[in-house]
Amino acid sequence: MFTDKPTLTGERVILRPVTVDDVPGLAAMLDDPEGRQLTGTHATFTSEQLYAWYATRGGEPDRLDLAVVDRATGGYAGEVVLNDLDEDNLCCGFRISLGPAARGRGLGTEATRLTLGYAFGIGLHRVELEVYAFNPRAQAVYEKVGFVREGVRRDALRWDGGWVDAVTMAALATEWR
């Protein structure tokens, strides 16, 4: 279902297939402590691992990895991903991560809206995600673009010695606006 790797253009962002040229931006994003917390990322990655990862994204038919490009600067701002494809149920997961310079500027909202529009346009019925309870800013963005809170996975993430809930949300094609 994700064999086509589109480029999606909005007013503030361009979403295009990731390439190995995006690895420096990905590495900087993964080095950001706030971004690591917001995404619950404990792992560390070598440059070789990041290059190997982005080099293989274009050939994956069950996921879509797109770079978020800031139209104002032309630079890599982050990534959006549709993954965990369930073709039988026309469902997939969604995740987004933005670097520090891209946060709070509406880039994530537009990137999320463009990605949902694409997902529903190719026939998916449901797009789902998890967001950690300590990220109310992201929860508000998701609700603004059409995700609905469905539940809570209690104590789903261990962070800084404490436990954090994960909020589950989904958007449906039948409710997409």
Side-chain angles (χ1 to χ4, degrees), residues 5-104:
K5 307 298 184 186
T7 296
L8 310 173
T9 303
E11 290 180 25
R12 296 180 176 157
V13 299
I14 296 171
L15 306 181
R16 58 152 175 78
V18 298
T19 71
V20 294
D21 293 337
D22 297 318
V23 169
L26 174 63
M29 191 172 67
L30 289 170
D31 284 341
D32 171 49
E34 181 184 11
R36 292 174 62 79
Q37 178 187 16
L38 294 175
T39 58
T41 302
H42 290 293
T44 58
F45 305 94
T46 66
S47 292
E48 294 78 21
Q49 289 171 313
L50 296 178
Y51 278 103
W53 179 253
Y54 266 8
T56 61
R57 300 304 85 204
E60 299 293 326
D62 61 347
R63 62 182 288 137
L64 179 62
D65 297 77
L66 299 175
V68 178
V69 177
D70 181 345
R71 289 190 71 179
T73 66
Y76 177 93
E79 67 175 10
V80 293
V81 178
L82 293 175
N83 60 4
D84 298 327
L85 178 64
D86 177 347
E87 285 193 72
D88 292 331
N89 293 305
L90 299 175
C91 175
C92 72
F94 171 84
R95 69 178 174 78
I96 183 170
S97 182
L98 298 175
R103 295 185 201 129

